[in-house]
Amino acid sequence: MVYLVRTCSFLKDWEKAWESIAGLSEHVRKEFKEVKASYFLSNIAGPIDQLHWVVEFESLADEERFAAKAMKDDAYGKAFMAFEGRLSPFVDRLYRRD
């Protein structure tokens, strides 16, 4: 399994930011067959305003196909525009499960 983990922090308008990110997660689950799961992790310790969006894939090739399609997906792009000023820029990390 391969995991794309996108980490950001809430800046303001927490409820609107949460609606946008949750809507994008649902869109990704429904529209991208490469995505096996999409969910959120929040910190118990450390910065409590931080959010980690986890997107699971069977393989790195599936993640790459997802990334290529996402760049062309209108709903995906509009969601990122809605994050402007509400969420910090995402920091992406890829992990594999050994």
Side-chain angles (χ1 to χ4, degrees):
M1 296 293 288
V2 171
Y3 303 86
L4 168 62
V5 180
R6 294 196 145 153
T7 299
C8 66
S9 296
F10 289 100
L11 301 174
K12 65 176 185 175
D13 296 334
W14 188 93
E15 288 181 19
K16 288 181 182 182
W18 180 254
E19 285 177 23
S20 296
I21 190 87
L24 180 58
S25 178
E26 183 66 23
H27 174 71
V28 162
R29 274 195 300 271
K30 288 182 179 179
E31 300 299 324
F32 294 85
K33 66 179 181 168
E34 299 84 3
V35 173
K36 298 303 172 198
S38 176
Y39 54 89
F40 301 99
L41 301 173
S42 56
N43 294 354
I44 294 172
I48 61 170
D49 63 341
Q50 212 171 53
L51 180 70
H52 310 279
W53 177 25
V54 181
V55 186
E56 292 184 14
F57 305 92
E58 293 269 338
S59 66
L60 185 56
D62 283 346
E63 190 281 331
E64 290 171 345
R65 277 190 287 280
F66 161 77
K69 288 179 185 178
M71 298 305 280
K72 298 175 186 172
D73 185 83
D74 286 337
Y76 194 87
K78 286 178 184 175
F80 271 82
M81 296 298 285
F83 301 153
E84 187 69 33
R86 293 186 175 122
L87 297 173
S88 68
F90 285 93
V91 174
D92 290 352
R93 292 185 175 89
L94 286 172
Y95 300 95
R96 69 171 172 248
R97 188 170 181 182
D98 294 322

